[in-house]
Amino acid sequence: MEKTMMPPPILLPVLLVLSGCGFLQGPASSTPAPDPATSATVTSTPGATTQLLIDFDRVTAEFGTLLPEAVNAGSTPVRTEISTVHAGRIRLAPGPSGDGAARFPAYDGTASAPAAALLVWDETEGDLSPGKRDFTFGVTFMLDAVSDGEDSDNGDNLVQRGLFADEQQLKIQVDHGVPSCRIAGTDGEVVAKWTGPVRRDTWVSVRCSRVGKEVTLEMLDATTGESRGTVTETGSTGALDFPLTTPFGIGAKVLADGTVPTSSSDQFNGVLDEVHFDVR
């Protein structure tokens, strides 16, 4: 067990490399750990039909190793880093179809629990900032059997931009096993919440969309994409105009400077894949 002293959060740059190959398993020795001194590289996939798609399939490494790189298979130029606290790490893992996915720290329950998040910044203002336009975002995930209990980690953030206290936020979480979506803008907030907890240790997909004044949370089969049902709430949310400095946080709560808080991290405990965002 780690000592109770709290080391400062660590930001580890992740190389973003365009690659046409799929996820391949190879010798561990062929994939060195990320170099924290290396600057992150901006990447995108021209011709893609969505702005952001991080699916971890374009990584050549062995399952179980530290995430060495991340690639946006969408059209928007982005850069990413990994933010950690208490030696939290993100590792490569098999996804629902056997391709790449991201394994986040398991539940610990202590004040010094390991935590980690993948950060994404858009390099083109407006591409990942919807304003008053309609948009959709979501993720495929498998929640661990145990994922909450103590105040130090009593939630499971899947993807967010902005904080609850901010005027503007978009967020999907699976607190206590129940998926929900919050969209808050200049005119107010709307929260759509699923009817009950998901099955743990099972792959599912969740998608949240804003169309006009309607916010819809949809659950889907992770393999077939077939809809399992929707929950729609109505209300005015207004504009969501995020500064370029505000990151997307994937897998945990992320502060404005990109750090994961040392307590109440809302660390997602499980494996996730297919993070996407699309402005219509």
Side-chain angles (χ1 to χ4, degrees):
M1 179 173 293
E2 296 187 26
K3 296 181 180 179
T4 56
M5 62 185 297
M6 293 184 180
I10 301 171
L11 291 178
L12 300 177
V14 179
L15 292 179
L16 296 177
V17 182
L18 285 175
S19 171
C21 64
F23 190 99
L24 303 176
Q25 296 188 57
S29 60
S30 66
T31 307
D35 180 2
T38 304
S39 298
T41 303
V42 177
T43 182
S44 63
T45 302
T49 58
T50 189
Q51 279 89 6
L52 180 70
L53 174 59
I54 298 180
D55 56 14
F56 308 101
D57 292 346
R58 294 157 176 81
V59 180
T60 303
E62 190 174 58
F63 293 144
T65 59
L66 296 181
L67 181 70
E69 59 188 21
V71 177
N72 182 22
S75 61
T76 296
V78 303
R79 60 185 175 89
T80 71
E81 291 180 0
I82 294 175
S83 181
T84 77
V85 68
H86 301 307
R89 294 293 183 262
I90 303 174
R91 298 183 180 274
L92 297 171
S97 60
D99 292 332
R103 167 74 220 188
F104 285 79
Y107 180 74
D108 182 295
T110 67
S112 57
L118 177 61
L119 312 180
V120 179
W121 289 271
D122 51 328
E123 293 290 301
T124 305
E125 190 166 3
D127 278 7
L128 301 182
S129 195
K132 292 185 177 182
R133 294 172 293 174
D134 298 338
F135 63 94
T136 299
F137 66 113
V139 62
T140 295
F141 69 95
M142 180 170 63
L143 185 65
D144 287 350
V146 178
S147 65
D148 53 46
E150 297 297 327
D151 291 341
S152 59
D153 178 12
N154 202 28
D156 286 88
N157 281 13
L158 291 170
V159 58
Q160 71 169 76
R161 193 172 194 185
L163 297 168
F164 183 83
D166 298 341
E167 181 183 44
Q168 301 170 60
Q169 185 191 41
L170 57 84
K171 177 181 181 180
I172 298 176
Q173 62 186 13
V174 60
D175 288 2
H176 309 295
V178 181
S180 64
C181 167
R182 180 179 188 262
I183 296 176
T186 55
D187 292 345
E189 70 166 353
V190 175
V191 176
K193 187 174 183 179
W194 191 240
T195 54
V198 298
R199 287 187 60 184
R200 294 173 183 263
D201 293 324
T202 301
W203 283 103
V204 294
S205 295
V206 58
R207 182 165 60 199
C208 182
S209 61
R210 180 183 75 174
V211 179
K213 292 186 176 182
E214 291 186 345
V215 172
T216 299
L217 179 76
E218 183 175 18
M219 301 300 298
L220 306 101
D221 185 287
T223 303
T224 66
E226 181 180 355
S227 179
R228 297 284 183 83
T230 61
V231 174
T232 299
E233 302 291 346
T234 303
S236 296
T237 52
L240 282 79
D241 294 310
F242 297 101
L244 289 178
T245 54
T246 301
F248 273 88
I250 299 170
K253 182 188 297 182
V254 174
L255 304 181
D257 61 357
T259 58
V260 178
T262 55
S263 63
S264 300
S265 65
D266 291 342
Q267 176 69 60
F268 169 69
N269 308 118
V271 190
L272 62 76
D273 195 9
E274 300 284 345
V275 181
H276 60 90
F277 182 88
D278 186 39
V279 180
R280 301 176 183 176

